Coordinates of all heavy atoms in Angstrom, one line a residue:
M1 N -3.9 -25.0 5.8 CA -3.7 -24.1 4.7 C -5.1 -23.6 4.3 O -6.1 -24.2 4.6 CB -3.1 -24.8 3.5 CG -1.6 -25.0 3.7 SD -0.9 -24.9 2.1 CE 0.6 -25.7 2.4
S2 N -5.1 -22.5 3.6 CA -6.4 -21.9 3.1 C -7.0 -22.8 2.0 O -6.3 -23.6 1.4 CB -6.1 -20.5 2.6 OG -5.3 -20.5 1.5
E3 N -8.3 -22.6 1.8 CA -9.0 -23.3 0.8 C -8.5 -23.0 -0.6 O -8.4 -23.9 -1.4 CB -10.5 -22.9 0.9 CG -11.2 -23.3 2.2 CD -12.6 -22.7 2.3 OE1 -13.1 -22.2 1.2 OE2 -13.2 -22.7 3.3
D4 N -8.3 -21.8 -0.9 CA -7.8 -21.4 -2.2 C -6.3 -21.3 -2.2 O -5.7 -20.3 -1.9 CB -8.3 -20.0 -2.6 CG -9.9 -20.0 -2.6 OD1 -10.5 -21.0 -3.0 OD2 -10.4 -19.0 -2.1
A5 N -5.7 -22.5 -2.6 CA -4.2 -22.5 -2.6 C -3.6 -21.6 -3.6 O -4.2 -21.4 -4.7 CB -3.8 -24.0 -2.9
V6 N -2.5 -21.0 -3.3 CA -1.8 -20.1 -4.2 C -0.9 -21.0 -5.1 O -0.1 -21.8 -4.6 CB -0.9 -19.1 -3.4 CG1 -0.1 -18.3 -4.3 CG2 -1.8 -18.3 -2.5
D7 N -1.1 -20.8 -6.4 CA -0.2 -21.6 -7.3 C 0.8 -20.7 -7.9 O 0.8 -19.5 -7.8 CB -1.1 -22.3 -8.3 CG -1.9 -21.4 -9.2 OD1 -1.7 -20.2 -9.1 OD2 -2.8 -21.9 -9.9
A8 N 1.7 -21.3 -8.7 CA 2.8 -20.6 -9.4 C 2.2 -19.5 -10.3 O 2.8 -18.4 -10.4 CB 3.7 -21.6 -10.1
D9 N 1.1 -19.8 -11.0 CA 0.5 -18.8 -11.9 C 0.1 -17.6 -11.1 O 0.3 -16.5 -11.6 CB -0.7 -19.4 -12.6 CG -0.3 -20.5 -13.6 OD1 0.8 -20.5 -14.1 OD2 -1.2 -21.3 -13.9
A10 N -0.5 -17.7 -10.0 CA -0.9 -16.6 -9.2 C 0.3 -15.8 -8.7 O 0.3 -14.5 -8.8 CB -1.7 -17.0 -7.9
V11 N 1.4 -16.4 -8.3 CA 2.6 -15.7 -7.9 C 3.2 -15.0 -9.1 O 3.6 -13.8 -9.0 CB 3.6 -16.8 -7.4 CG1 5.0 -16.1 -7.1 CG2 3.1 -17.4 -6.1
H12 N 3.2 -15.6 -10.3 CA 3.8 -14.9 -11.4 C 2.9 -13.7 -11.8 O 3.4 -12.7 -12.3 CB 4.0 -15.9 -12.6 CG 5.2 -16.8 -12.4 ND1 6.5 -16.3 -12.5 CD2 5.3 -18.1 -12.1 CE1 7.3 -17.3 -12.3 NE2 6.6 -18.4 -12.0
H13 N 1.6 -13.9 -11.7 CA 0.6 -12.8 -12.0 C 0.9 -11.6 -11.1 O 1.0 -10.5 -11.6 CB -0.8 -13.3 -11.9 CG -1.8 -12.2 -12.1 ND1 -2.0 -11.6 -13.3 CD2 -2.6 -11.5 -11.3 CE1 -3.0 -10.7 -13.3 NE2 -3.3 -10.6 -12.0
V14 N 1.0 -11.8 -9.8 CA 1.3 -10.7 -8.9 C 2.7 -10.1 -9.2 O 2.8 -8.9 -9.2 CB 1.3 -11.2 -7.4 CG1 1.8 -10.2 -6.4 CG2 -0.1 -11.7 -7.0
A15 N 3.7 -10.9 -9.5 CA 5.0 -10.4 -9.8 C 4.9 -9.6 -11.1 O 5.6 -8.5 -11.2 CB 6.0 -11.6 -10.0
D16 N 4.1 -10.0 -12.1 CA 4.0 -9.2 -13.3 C 3.3 -7.8 -13.0 O 3.7 -6.8 -13.5 CB 3.1 -9.9 -14.3 CG 3.9 -11.1 -15.0 OD1 5.1 -11.2 -14.8 OD2 3.2 -12.0 -15.5
L17 N 2.3 -7.9 -12.1 CA 1.6 -6.6 -11.8 C 2.6 -5.6 -11.1 O 2.5 -4.4 -11.2 CB 0.4 -6.9 -10.8 CG -0.8 -7.6 -11.5 CD1 -1.8 -7.9 -10.4 CD2 -1.4 -6.7 -12.6
A18 N 3.5 -6.2 -10.3 CA 4.5 -5.4 -9.5 C 5.7 -5.1 -10.4 O 6.7 -4.5 -9.9 CB 4.9 -6.1 -8.3
R19 N 5.7 -5.7 -11.6 CA 6.9 -5.5 -12.5 C 8.2 -6.0 -11.9 O 9.2 -5.4 -11.9 CB 7.0 -4.1 -13.0 CG 5.9 -3.6 -13.8 CD 6.1 -2.2 -14.2 NE 5.0 -1.8 -15.1 CZ 4.5 -0.6 -15.1 NH1 5.0 0.4 -14.3 NH2 3.5 -0.3 -15.9
V20 N 8.0 -7.2 -11.3 CA 9.2 -7.9 -10.7 C 9.5 -9.2 -11.4 O 8.5 -10.0 -11.6 CB 8.9 -8.2 -9.2 CG1 10.0 -9.0 -8.5 CG2 8.6 -6.9 -8.4
A21 N 10.7 -9.4 -11.8 CA 11.1 -10.7 -12.4 C 11.5 -11.7 -11.4 O 12.2 -11.4 -10.5 CB 12.2 -10.4 -13.4
L22 N 10.9 -12.9 -11.4 CA 11.2 -13.9 -10.4 C 11.7 -15.1 -11.1 O 11.3 -15.5 -12.2 CB 9.9 -14.3 -9.7 CG 9.2 -13.3 -8.8 CD1 7.9 -14.0 -8.3 CD2 10.1 -12.9 -7.7
T23 N 12.7 -15.8 -10.5 CA 13.2 -17.1 -10.9 C 12.2 -18.1 -10.4 O 11.3 -17.8 -9.6 CB 14.6 -17.4 -10.3 OG1 14.5 -17.5 -8.9 CG2 15.6 -16.3 -10.7
E24 N 12.3 -19.3 -10.9 CA 11.4 -20.4 -10.4 C 11.6 -20.6 -8.9 O 10.6 -20.9 -8.2 CB 11.6 -21.6 -11.3 CG 11.0 -21.6 -12.6 CD 9.5 -21.2 -12.6 OE1 8.7 -21.7 -11.9 OE2 9.2 -20.3 -13.4
S25 N 12.8 -20.6 -8.5 CA 13.0 -20.9 -7.0 C 12.4 -19.7 -6.2 O 11.8 -20.0 -5.1 CB 14.5 -21.1 -6.7 OG 15.2 -19.9 -7.0
E26 N 12.5 -18.5 -6.7 CA 11.9 -17.4 -5.9 C 10.4 -17.5 -5.9 O 9.7 -17.3 -4.9 CB 12.3 -16.1 -6.6 CG 13.7 -15.7 -6.3 CD 14.2 -14.5 -7.1 OE1 13.7 -14.3 -8.3 OE2 15.0 -13.7 -6.6
A27 N 9.8 -17.9 -7.1 CA 8.4 -18.1 -7.2 C 7.9 -19.2 -6.2 O 6.8 -19.0 -5.6 CB 8.0 -18.5 -8.6
E28 N 8.6 -20.3 -6.1 CA 8.2 -21.3 -5.2 C 8.3 -20.8 -3.7 O 7.4 -21.1 -2.9 CB 9.2 -22.5 -5.3 CG 9.0 -23.3 -6.6 CD 10.0 -24.4 -6.8 OE1 10.8 -24.7 -5.9 OE2 10.1 -24.9 -7.9
R29 N 9.3 -20.0 -3.4 CA 9.4 -19.5 -2.0 C 8.3 -18.5 -1.8 O 7.6 -18.6 -0.7 CB 10.8 -18.8 -1.9 CG 11.1 -18.4 -0.4 CD 12.5 -17.9 -0.2 NE 12.7 -16.8 -1.1 CZ 13.8 -16.5 -1.8 NH1 14.8 -17.4 -1.7 NH2 14.0 -15.5 -2.5
F30 N 7.9 -17.7 -2.7 CA 6.8 -16.7 -2.5 C 5.5 -17.4 -2.5 O 4.6 -17.0 -1.8 CB 6.8 -15.7 -3.6 CG 7.8 -14.6 -3.5 CD1 8.7 -14.3 -4.4 CD2 7.9 -13.8 -2.3 CE1 9.7 -13.3 -4.3 CE2 8.8 -12.8 -2.1 CZ 9.7 -12.6 -3.1
E31 N 5.4 -18.5 -3.2 CA 4.1 -19.3 -3.1 C 3.9 -19.8 -1.7 O 2.8 -19.6 -1.2 CB 4.3 -20.5 -4.1 CG 3.0 -21.3 -4.4 CD 3.3 -22.4 -5.4 OE1 4.1 -22.2 -6.3 OE2 2.5 -23.4 -5.3
A32 N 4.9 -20.3 -1.0 CA 4.8 -20.7 0.4 C 4.5 -19.5 1.3 O 3.6 -19.6 2.2 CB 6.0 -21.4 0.8
Q33 N 5.1 -18.4 1.0 CA 4.9 -17.2 1.9 C 3.5 -16.6 1.7 O 2.9 -16.2 2.7 CB 6.0 -16.1 1.5 CG 7.4 -16.5 2.0 CD 8.4 -15.5 1.5 OE1 8.2 -14.6 0.7 NE2 9.6 -15.7 2.0
F34 N 3.0 -16.6 0.4 CA 1.6 -16.2 0.2 C 0.6 -17.1 0.9 O -0.4 -16.6 1.5 CB 1.3 -16.1 -1.3 CG 2.0 -15.0 -2.0 CD1 2.2 -15.0 -3.4 CD2 2.4 -13.8 -1.3 CE1 2.8 -14.0 -4.0 CE2 2.9 -12.7 -2.0 CZ 3.1 -12.8 -3.4
E35 N 0.9 -18.4 0.9 CA 0.0 -19.3 1.7 C 0.0 -19.0 3.1 O -1.0 -19.0 3.8 CB 0.5 -20.8 1.5 CG 0.1 -21.4 0.2 CD -1.3 -21.7 0.0 OE1 -2.0 -21.8 1.1 OE2 -1.8 -21.7 -1.1
D36 N 1.2 -18.7 3.7 CA 1.3 -18.3 5.1 C 0.5 -17.1 5.4 O -0.2 -17.0 6.4 CB 2.7 -18.1 5.6 CG 3.5 -19.4 5.6 OD1 2.9 -20.5 5.6 OD2 4.7 -19.4 5.6
I37 N 0.6 -16.1 4.5 CA -0.2 -14.8 4.7 C -1.7 -15.1 4.6 O -2.4 -14.6 5.5 CB 0.3 -13.8 3.6 CG1 1.7 -13.4 3.9 CG2 -0.7 -12.6 3.6 CD1 2.4 -12.6 2.7
L38 N -2.1 -15.9 3.7 CA -3.5 -16.2 3.6 C -4.0 -16.9 4.8 O -5.2 -16.7 5.3 CB -3.8 -16.9 2.3 CG -3.6 -16.1 1.0 CD1 -3.9 -16.9 -0.2 CD2 -4.6 -14.8 1.0
D39 N -3.2 -17.9 5.3 CA -3.6 -18.6 6.5 C -3.8 -17.6 7.7 O -4.7 -17.8 8.5 CB -2.5 -19.7 6.8 CG -2.6 -20.8 5.9 OD1 -3.6 -21.0 5.2 OD2 -1.6 -21.6 5.8
Y40 N -2.9 -16.7 7.8 CA -3.0 -15.7 8.8 C -4.3 -14.9 8.7 O -5.0 -14.7 9.7 CB -1.8 -14.7 8.8 CG -1.9 -13.7 9.9 CD1 -1.6 -14.0 11.2 CD2 -2.2 -12.4 9.6 CE1 -1.7 -13.0 12.2 CE2 -2.4 -11.4 10.6 CZ -2.1 -11.7 11.9 OH -2.2 -10.8 12.8
F41 N -4.6 -14.5 7.5 CA -5.9 -13.8 7.4 C -7.1 -14.6 7.7 O -8.1 -14.2 8.3 CB -6.0 -13.2 5.9 CG -5.3 -11.9 5.7 CD1 -4.1 -11.9 5.0 CD2 -5.9 -10.7 6.2 CE1 -3.5 -10.6 4.9 CE2 -5.3 -9.5 6.0 CZ -4.1 -9.5 5.3
D42 N -7.0 -15.9 7.4 CA -8.1 -16.9 7.8 C -8.2 -16.9 9.3 O -9.3 -17.0 9.8 CB -7.8 -18.3 7.2 CG -8.1 -18.3 5.7 OD1 -8.8 -17.4 5.2 OD2 -7.6 -19.3 5.1
S43 N -7.1 -16.9 10.0 CA -7.1 -17.0 11.5 C -7.8 -15.7 12.1 O -8.3 -15.8 13.2 CB -5.7 -17.2 12.0 OG -5.0 -16.0 11.9
L44 N -7.8 -14.6 11.4 CA -8.4 -13.4 11.9 C -10.0 -13.6 12.0 O -10.6 -12.9 12.7 CB -8.1 -12.2 11.0 CG -6.6 -11.7 11.0 CD1 -6.4 -10.6 10.1 CD2 -6.2 -11.4 12.4
D45 N -10.5 -14.5 11.2 CA -11.9 -14.8 11.2 C -12.3 -15.3 12.6 O -13.5 -15.3 13.0 CB -12.4 -15.8 10.2 CG -12.3 -15.1 8.8 OD1 -12.4 -13.9 8.7 OD2 -12.2 -15.9 7.8
E46 N -11.4 -15.9 13.4 CA -11.7 -16.5 14.7 C -11.6 -15.4 15.8 O -12.0 -15.8 16.9 CB -10.7 -17.6 14.9 CG -10.7 -18.7 13.9 CD -9.5 -19.6 14.0 OE1 -8.8 -19.6 15.0 OE2 -9.4 -20.4 13.1
V47 N -11.2 -14.2 15.5 CA -11.2 -13.2 16.5 C -12.6 -12.7 16.8 O -13.4 -12.4 15.9 CB -10.3 -12.0 16.1 CG1 -10.4 -10.8 17.1 CG2 -8.9 -12.4 15.8
P48 N -13.0 -12.8 18.1 CA -14.4 -12.4 18.4 C -14.6 -10.9 18.2 O -13.7 -10.1 18.4 CB -14.5 -12.8 19.9 CG -13.1 -12.8 20.4 CD -12.2 -13.1 19.3
E49 N -15.8 -10.6 17.8 CA -16.2 -9.2 17.7 C -16.5 -8.6 19.1 O -16.8 -9.3 20.0 CB -17.5 -9.1 16.9 CG -17.3 -9.4 15.4 CD -18.5 -9.1 14.6 OE1 -19.2 -8.2 14.9 OE2 -18.7 -9.8 13.6
I50 N -16.2 -7.3 19.2 CA -16.5 -6.6 20.5 C -17.5 -5.5 20.3 O -17.8 -5.1 19.1 CB -15.1 -6.0 21.0 CG1 -14.6 -5.0 20.0 CG2 -14.1 -7.1 21.3 CD1 -13.4 -4.2 20.6
E51 N -18.1 -5.1 21.4 CA -19.0 -4.0 21.3 C -18.3 -2.7 21.0 O -17.2 -2.4 21.6 CB -19.8 -3.9 22.7 CG -20.7 -5.0 23.0 CD -21.9 -5.0 22.1 OE1 -22.4 -3.9 21.8 OE2 -22.4 -6.1 21.7
R52 N -18.8 -1.9 20.2 CA -18.2 -0.6 19.9 C -18.5 0.4 21.0 O -19.6 0.4 21.6 CB -18.7 0.0 18.6 CG -18.1 -0.8 17.4 CD -18.6 0.0 16.1 NE -17.7 -0.1 15.0 CZ -16.6 0.6 14.9 NH1 -16.1 1.4 15.8 NH2 -15.9 0.5 13.8
E53 N -17.6 1.3 21.3 CA -17.9 2.4 22.2 C -18.8 3.3 21.6 O -18.6 3.8 20.5 CB -16.5 3.1 22.6 CG -15.6 2.2 23.3 CD -16.0 2.0 24.8 OE1 -16.6 2.8 25.4 OE2 -15.7 0.9 25.3
S54 N -19.9 3.7 22.4 CA -20.9 4.6 21.8 C -20.5 6.0 22.0 O -21.0 6.9 21.3 CB -22.2 4.3 22.5 OG -22.1 4.5 23.9
D55 N -19.5 6.3 22.9 CA -19.2 7.7 23.1 C -17.9 8.1 22.4 O -17.2 9.0 22.9 CB -19.1 8.0 24.6 CG -18.1 7.1 25.3 OD1 -17.6 6.1 24.7 OD2 -17.8 7.3 26.5
L56 N -17.5 7.5 21.3 CA -16.4 7.9 20.6 C -16.6 9.2 19.9 O -17.7 9.5 19.4 CB -16.0 6.8 19.5 CG -15.5 5.5 20.0 CD1 -15.3 4.6 18.8 CD2 -14.2 5.7 20.7
V57 N -15.6 10.0 19.9 CA -15.7 11.3 19.2 C -14.6 11.5 18.3 O -13.6 10.9 18.3 CB -15.7 12.5 20.3 CG1 -16.9 12.4 21.2 CG2 -14.4 12.4 21.1
N58 N -14.8 12.4 17.3 CA -13.8 12.7 16.3 C -12.7 13.5 17.0 O -12.9 14.6 17.6 CB -14.4 13.5 15.2 CG -13.4 13.8 14.1 OD1 -12.2 13.3 14.1 ND2 -13.9 14.5 13.1
V59 N -11.4 13.0 17.0 CA -10.3 13.6 17.6 C -9.5 14.5 16.6 O -8.5 15.0 17.0 CB -9.4 12.6 18.3 CG1 -10.1 11.9 19.4 CG2 -8.8 11.6 17.3
M60 N -9.9 14.6 15.4 CA -9.2 15.4 14.4 C -9.6 16.9 14.6 O -10.7 17.2 15.0 CB -9.6 14.9 13.0 CG -9.4 13.5 12.7 SD -7.6 13.0 12.8 CE -7.1 13.7 11.3
R61 N -8.6 17.7 14.4 CA -8.9 19.1 14.5 C -9.7 19.6 13.3 O -9.7 19.0 12.2 CB -7.6 19.9 14.5 CG -6.8 19.8 13.3 CD -5.6 20.8 13.3 NE -4.7 20.6 12.2 CZ -5.0 20.9 10.9 NH1 -6.1 21.5 10.6 NH2 -4.1 20.7 10.0
P62 N -10.5 20.6 13.4 CA -11.3 21.1 12.2 C -10.3 21.7 11.2 O -9.2 22.2 11.5 CB -12.2 22.2 12.8 CG -11.5 22.6 14.1 CD -10.7 21.4 14.6
D63 N -10.7 21.6 9.9 CA -9.9 22.2 8.9 C -10.0 23.7 9.0 O -11.0 24.3 9.2 CB -10.5 21.8 7.5 CG -10.2 20.4 7.2 OD1 -9.2 19.8 7.7 OD2 -10.9 19.8 6.3
E64 N -8.8 24.3 8.9 CA -8.8 25.8 9.0 C -7.9 26.3 7.9 O -6.8 25.8 7.6 CB -8.1 26.2 10.3 CG -9.0 25.9 11.5 CD -8.3 26.2 12.8 OE1 -7.2 26.8 12.8 OE2 -8.8 25.8 13.9
Q65 N -8.4 27.3 7.2 CA -7.6 27.9 6.1 C -6.5 28.8 6.7 O -6.7 29.5 7.7 CB -8.5 28.8 5.2 CG -7.8 29.2 4.0 CD -8.7 29.9 3.1 OE1 -9.9 30.3 3.4 NE2 -8.3 30.1 1.8
R66 N -5.3 28.6 6.2 CA -4.1 29.4 6.8 C -3.1 29.6 5.6 O -3.2 29.0 4.6 CB -3.5 28.7 7.9 CG -3.0 27.3 7.6 CD -2.4 26.6 8.9 NE -1.9 25.3 8.5 CZ -1.5 24.4 9.4 NH1 -1.6 24.7 10.6 NH2 -1.1 23.3 9.0
P67 N -2.3 30.6 5.8 CA -1.3 30.9 4.7 C -0.4 29.7 4.4 O -0.1 28.9 5.2 CB -0.5 32.0 5.3 CG -1.2 32.5 6.5 CD -2.1 31.4 7.0
S68 N -0.1 29.6 3.1 CA 0.8 28.6 2.6 C 1.8 29.1 1.7 O 1.8 30.3 1.4 CB 0.0 27.5 1.9 OG -0.7 28.0 0.8
L69 N 2.7 28.3 1.2 CA 3.7 28.7 0.2 C 3.1 29.1 -1.1 O 2.1 28.5 -1.5 CB 4.7 27.6 0.0 CG 5.5 27.1 1.2 CD1 6.4 25.9 0.8 CD2 6.4 28.2 1.8
D70 N 3.7 30.1 -1.7 CA 3.2 30.4 -3.1 C 4.0 29.4 -4.0 O 4.9 28.7 -3.6 CB 3.4 31.8 -3.5 CG 4.8 32.3 -3.6 OD1 5.7 31.5 -3.8 OD2 5.0 33.5 -3.4
Q71 N 3.7 29.4 -5.3 CA 4.2 28.4 -6.2 C 5.8 28.5 -6.3 O 6.5 27.5 -6.2 CB 3.7 28.6 -7.6 CG 4.2 27.6 -8.6 CD 3.5 27.7 -10.0 OE1 2.8 28.6 -10.2 NE2 3.8 26.7 -10.8
N72 N 6.3 29.7 -6.3 CA 7.8 29.9 -6.4 C 8.5 29.4 -5.2 O 9.5 28.8 -5.2 CB 8.1 31.3 -6.7 CG 7.8 31.7 -8.2 OD1 7.8 30.9 -9.0 ND2 7.4 33.0 -8.4
E73 N 7.9 29.7 -4.0 CA 8.5 29.2 -2.7 C 8.5 27.7 -2.6 O 9.5 27.1 -2.2 CB 7.7 29.8 -1.5 CG 7.9 31.3 -1.4 CD 7.0 31.9 -0.3 OE1 5.8 31.4 -0.2 OE2 7.4 32.8 0.4
A74 N 7.4 27.1 -3.1 CA 7.4 25.6 -3.1 C 8.4 25.0 -4.0 O 9.1 24.1 -3.7 CB 5.9 25.2 -3.4
L75 N 8.5 25.6 -5.2 CA 9.4 25.1 -6.2 C 10.9 25.3 -5.8 O 11.8 24.6 -6.3 CB 9.1 25.7 -7.6 CG 7.8 25.2 -8.2 CD1 7.5 26.0 -9.5 CD2 7.7 23.7 -8.4
D76 N 11.1 26.3 -4.9 CA 12.5 26.5 -4.5 C 13.1 25.3 -3.8 O 14.3 25.1 -3.8 CB 12.5 27.7 -3.5 CG 12.4 29.1 -4.2 OD1 12.6 29.1 -5.5 OD2 12.1 30.1 -3.5
N77 N 12.2 24.5 -3.2 CA 12.7 23.3 -2.5 C 12.8 22.1 -3.4 O 13.3 21.0 -2.9 CB 11.7 23.0 -1.4 CG 11.7 24.0 -0.3 OD1 12.8 24.5 0.1 ND2 10.6 24.4 0.2
A78 N 12.4 22.2 -4.7 CA 12.4 21.0 -5.6 C 13.8 20.8 -6.1 O 14.6 21.7 -6.4 CB 11.4 21.3 -6.7
A79 N 14.1 19.5 -6.3 CA 15.4 19.1 -6.9 C 15.4 19.5 -8.3 O 16.4 19.9 -8.9 CB 15.6 17.6 -6.7
E80 N 14.3 19.4 -9.0 CA 14.2 19.7 -10.4 C 12.8 20.2 -10.8 O 11.8 19.7 -10.2 CB 14.5 18.5 -11.3 CG 14.8 18.7 -12.7 CD 15.3 17.5 -13.4 OE1 15.7 16.5 -12.8 OE2 15.3 17.6 -14.7
T81 N 12.7 21.2 -11.6 CA 11.4 21.7 -12.0 C 11.3 21.9 -13.5 O 12.4 21.9 -14.2 CB 11.1 23.1 -11.4 OG1 12.0 24.1 -11.9 CG2 11.1 23.1 -9.9
E82 N 10.1 22.0 -14.0 CA 9.9 22.2 -15.5 C 8.6 23.0 -15.7 O 7.6 22.5 -15.2 CB 9.9 20.9 -16.2 CG 9.8 21.0 -17.7 CD 9.9 19.7 -18.4 OE1 11.0 19.0 -18.3 OE2 8.9 19.3 -19.0
D83 N 8.7 24.1 -16.3 CA 7.5 24.9 -16.7 C 6.6 25.2 -15.5 O 5.4 25.2 -15.5 CB 6.7 24.2 -17.8 CG 7.4 24.1 -19.1 OD1 8.3 24.9 -19.4 OD2 7.2 23.0 -19.7
G84 N 7.2 25.5 -14.3 CA 6.5 25.8 -13.1 C 5.9 24.7 -12.3 O 5.0 24.9 -11.5
Y85 N 6.4 23.5 -12.6 CA 5.9 22.3 -11.9 C 7.1 21.5 -11.4 O 8.2 21.6 -11.8 CB 5.1 21.3 -12.9 CG 3.9 22.0 -13.4 CD1 3.8 22.6 -14.7 CD2 2.7 22.0 -12.7 CE1 2.7 23.2 -15.2 CE2 1.5 22.5 -13.2 CZ 1.5 23.1 -14.4 OH 0.4 23.7 -14.9
F86 N 6.8 20.6 -10.4 CA 7.8 19.7 -9.9 C 8.1 18.7 -11.0 O 7.2 18.3 -11.7 CB 7.3 19.0 -8.6 CG 7.2 19.8 -7.4 CD1 5.9 20.3 -7.1 CD2 8.2 20.1 -6.6 CE1 5.8 21.1 -5.9 CE2 8.1 20.9 -5.5 CZ 6.9 21.4 -5.2
K87 N 9.3 18.3 -11.1 CA 9.7 17.3 -12.1 C 10.2 16.1 -11.4 O 11.2 16.3 -10.6 CB 10.7 17.8 -13.1 CG 11.0 16.8 -14.2 CD 11.8 17.4 -15.3 CE 12.1 16.3 -16.4 NZ 12.9 16.8 -17.4
G88 N 9.7 14.9 -11.6 CA 10.1 13.7 -11.0 C 10.7 12.8 -12.0 O 10.6 13.0 -13.2
P89 N 11.2 11.6 -11.5 CA 11.8 10.7 -12.4 C 10.7 10.0 -13.3 O 9.6 9.9 -12.8 CB 12.4 9.6 -11.5 CG 11.7 9.8 -10.2 CD 11.3 11.2 -10.1
R90 N 11.1 9.6 -14.4 CA 10.2 8.9 -15.3 C 9.9 7.5 -14.7 O 10.8 6.8 -14.2 CB 10.9 8.7 -16.7 CG 9.9 8.1 -17.7 CD 10.6 8.0 -19.1 NE 10.9 9.4 -19.6 CZ 10.0 10.0 -20.4 NH1 8.8 9.5 -20.6 NH2 10.3 11.2 -20.8
V91 N 8.6 7.1 -14.7 CA 8.2 5.9 -14.1 C 8.3 4.7 -15.0 O 8.8 3.7 -14.6 CB 6.8 6.0 -13.5 CG1 6.3 4.7 -13.0 CG2 6.7 7.1 -12.5
S92 N 7.9 4.9 -16.2 CA 8.0 3.8 -17.2 C 8.3 4.3 -18.6 O 8.2 5.4 -18.9 CB 6.8 2.9 -17.1 OG 5.6 3.6 -17.5

């Protein structure tokens, strides 16, 4: 297991940040799963470094300006609009 053990407080903190309600049994299960995840990350420290290829090149295409939809055309595809903008669901 990793040096910094995950405790129930850490699990509940993460759940609060994600706005997820957990029962105590769920918190215990996630505690073990978080430990496994951290152990996996610790094992990545054992992967040897390799030499980087010196002849790597950017494979992305250059940015080019081209015609796009005007505001009305874009809004025609929206499920709901308001005052010339896309309207989405309320988050909180």
Side-chain angles (χ1 to χ4, degrees):
M1 284 212 200
S2 63
E3 298 170 9
D4 301 321
V6 176
D7 59 9
D9 290 337
V11 171
H12 285 289
H13 177 70
V14 172
D16 289 342
L17 292 174
R19 296 183 176 142
V20 174
L22 295 178
T23 65
E24 285 306 312
S25 64
E26 289 172 327
E28 289 173 11
R29 191 171 58 221
F30 282 123
E31 193 174 329
Q33 291 174 352
F34 286 157
E35 281 290 336
D36 291 342
I37 291 168
L38 292 176
D39 288 342
Y40 178 74
F41 276 103
D42 286 343
S43 72
L44 293 176
D45 290 336
E46 299 168 13
V47 175
E49 290 188 31
I50 59 170
E51 292 287 325
R52 289 185 147 287
E53 293 289 327
S54 59
D55 58 350
L56 291 178
V57 294
N58 185 0
V59 296
M60 304 295 285
R61 65 169 172 74
D63 289 336
E64 296 174 3
Q65 191 173 13
R66 58 185 182 188
S68 62
L69 300 175
D70 66 27
Q71 184 176 9
N72 290 329
E73 290 173 322
L75 292 174
D76 284 343
N77 294 317
E80 194 173 347
T81 64
E82 185 175 294
D83 298 326
Y85 296 97
F86 291 99
K87 184 173 181 183
R90 185 176 295 272
V91 175
S92 58

